[in-house]
């Protein structure tokens, strides 16, 4: 299930002030109580500003859900908030970082001071996790974009230098929202234009011995030498069908049952031996670039 607020991919969009009601979460939990695999991906926008987020997470934890939250991390700068969140028993926190300096990161977020707040939040997060030996996994996410591609290696160095016990570093392909307007001109780039920087970034992650993952970037772009970064992809695709819940929904009847990933594969993909490990491409990317960037690994 998903809780929505704000994302850098559409950060010029004004979101509705409506939030998913707790009553719907209770209804969903009851509706799915006999499922063998219970996993809640809490994403957005920014889910941690939901006024009832602690109640929602506590309900999920009581019903033994695996809880995976994607957040900009800024709420974690408040120690009381952070301790309360971790005390619930979050399984995994994924937090994007767009620069190794405030200049780059704040330009991407469009929020002055966001880098300083993020680093304060991460310092708190790692300190509390280490002090109390908490099992919450921390994933820091890098973004493939025209603005950050050259910066990503510096970000990896920064992360490892400051947070040496990071659990995962994820390299995330650019996923533009349909709500993105002029902002996309700064960040949009093709896979071929990005390839050299993407390869350098994942190579640096591997050199540090950090567990790396890749999302939204076909394996043929990085090359077969990085196939280990995709080892969990085939299993992750088995998460379908699943339910997707938005803030505008108020009852179980409104939820969306997704049967497959929103990404698509072309005829060229069928010749690749990693067909089942690969997600494919976002429709907006296909509309602009097609599948011409892809060369199947045979």
């Amino acid at each position: 299930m998903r809780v929505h607020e704000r994302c850098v991919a559409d950060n010029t969009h004004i979101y509705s002030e409506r939030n998913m009601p707790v009553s719907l979460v209770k209804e969903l939990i009851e509706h799915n109580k006999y499922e063998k695999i219970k996993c809640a991906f809490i994403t957005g926008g920014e889910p941690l500003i939901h006024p009832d987020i602690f109640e929602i997470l506590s309900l999920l934890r009581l019903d033994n859900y695996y809880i995976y939250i994607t957040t900009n991390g800024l709420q974690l700068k408040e120690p009381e908030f952070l301790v309360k969140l971790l005390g619930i028993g979050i399984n995994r926190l994924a937090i994007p970082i767009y620069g190794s300096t405030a200049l780059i990161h704040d330009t991407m977020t469009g929020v002055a001071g966001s880098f300083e707040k993020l680093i304060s939040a991460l310092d708190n997060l790692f300190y509390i996790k280490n002090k109390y030996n908490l099992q919450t996994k921390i994933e820091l996410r890098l973004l493939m974009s025209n603005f950050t591609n050259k910066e990503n290696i510096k970000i990896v160095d920064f992360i490892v230098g400051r947070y040496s016990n990071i659990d995962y570093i994820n390299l995330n392909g650019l996923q533009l929202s349909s709500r993105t307007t002029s902002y996309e001109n700064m960040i949009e780039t093709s896979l071929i234009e990005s390839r050299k920087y993407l390869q350098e970034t994942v190579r640096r992650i591997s050199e540090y011995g950090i567990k790396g993952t890749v999302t939204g970037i076909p394996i043929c772009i990085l090359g077969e030498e990085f196939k280990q970064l995709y080892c969990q992809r085939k299993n992750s695709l088995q998460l379908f069908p699943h339910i997707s819940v938005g803030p505008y929904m108020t009852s179980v009847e409104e939820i969306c049952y997704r049967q497959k990933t929103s990404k698509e594969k072309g005829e060229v993909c069928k010749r690749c031996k990693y067909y089942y490990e690969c997600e494919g491409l976002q429709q907006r990317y296909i509309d602009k670039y097609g599948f011409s960037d892809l060369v199947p690994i045979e």
Side-chain angles (χ1 to χ4, degrees), residues 56-254:
I56 290 171
L57 296 175
S58 295
L59 289 168
L60 294 170
R61 169 52 58 208
L62 285 172
D63 207 53
N64 203 33
Y65 274 78
Y66 182 97
I67 302 175
Y68 190 149
I69 301 177
T70 300
T71 169
N72 63 25
L74 299 188
Q75 297 296 111
L76 308 181
K77 72 184 189 323
E78 303 298 336
E80 184 177 348
F81 182 98
L82 175 58
V83 170
K84 188 174 181 179
L85 180 73
L86 295 179
I88 292 172
I90 306 304
N91 297 94
R92 189 157 169 169
L93 281 171
I95 303 168
I97 178 168
Y98 303 116
S100 61
T101 65
L103 177 63
I104 303 295
H105 184 89
D106 291 3
T107 301
M108 275 296 292
T109 63
V111 180
S114 60
F115 180 77
E116 182 180 350
K117 292 177 182 177
L118 173 61
I119 298 309
S120 175
L122 291 176
D123 286 349
N124 289 342
L125 176 59
F126 279 94
Y127 173 77
I128 292 175
K129 179 186 175 180
N130 296 338
K131 181 175 181 178
Y132 296 103
N133 195 29
L134 300 179
Q135 298 306 303
T136 300
K137 300 297 183 182
I138 302 173
E139 170 189 326
L140 294 181
R141 290 187 168 185
L142 313 179
L143 179 67
M144 163 194 151
S145 79
N146 185 50
F147 197 70
T148 58
N149 277 341
K150 294 180 181 179
E151 177 73 2
N152 279 333
I153 290 180
K154 294 179 182 179
I155 300 175
V156 173
D157 292 338
F158 174 81
I159 291 171
V160 176
R162 195 174 184 104
Y163 312 113
S164 59
N165 59 337
I166 178 71
D167 294 296
Y168 302 98
I169 296 179
N170 171 266
L171 181 59
N172 201 29
L174 182 62
Q175 298 185 46
L176 291 170
S177 166
S178 59
R179 293 181 289 262
T180 307
T181 53
S182 58
Y183 191 68
E184 70 183 66
N185 296 324
M186 182 179 81
I187 62 178
E188 188 172 44
T189 182
S190 73
L191 289 163
I192 287 299
E193 291 171 319
S194 304
R195 182 177 183 177
K196 178 179 72 173
Y197 305 111
L198 298 174
Q199 289 175 327
E200 290 175 355
T201 299
V202 294
R203 190 170 287 115
R204 183 62 60 88
I205 294 170
S206 298
E207 288 172 354
Y208 277 121
I210 303 296
K211 289 183 180 179
T213 59
V214 174
T215 305
I217 302 170
I219 191 170
C220 63
I221 294 297
L222 291 181
E224 193 169 16
E225 66 176 296
F226 300 111
K227 63 182 180 181
Q228 74 277 5
L229 300 178
Y230 295 81
C231 63
Q232 297 178 347
R233 182 60 53 207
K234 189 172 182 179
N235 291 333
S236 71
L237 295 178
Q238 295 174 359
L239 291 174
F240 295 95
H242 67 239
I243 61 174
S244 184
V245 187
Y248 51 87
M249 298 177 183
T250 59
S251 69
V252 168
E253 288 71 26
E254 295 179 81

Side-chain angles (χ1 to χ4, degrees), residues 34-54:
Y34 296 116
E35 293 291 331
K36 293 181 179 179
I37 300 176
K38 296 181 179 181
C39 184
F41 293 91
I42 313 295
T43 183
E46 178 43 53
L48 296 187
I49 63 175
H50 191 294
D52 301 311
I53 188 63
F54 291 121

Side-chain angles (χ1 to χ4, degrees), residues 1-6 15-25 27-28 41-47 50 56 179 242-258:
M1 60 184 66
R2 300 173 183 273
V3 180
H4 297 259
E5 297 292 348
R6 178 171 294 280
Y15 282 84
S16 168
E17 294 184 1
R18 185 172 181 177
N19 290 298
M20 183 196 306
V22 175
S23 59
L24 176 57
V25 176
E27 193 175 356
L28 288 167
F41 293 91
I42 313 295
T43 183
E46 178 43 53
H50 191 294
I56 290 171
R179 293 181 289 262
H242 67 239
I243 61 174
S244 184
V245 187
Y248 51 87
M249 298 177 183
T250 59
S251 69
V252 168
E253 288 71 26
E254 295 179 81
I255 66 175
C256 174
Y257 283 87
R258 294 184 59 189

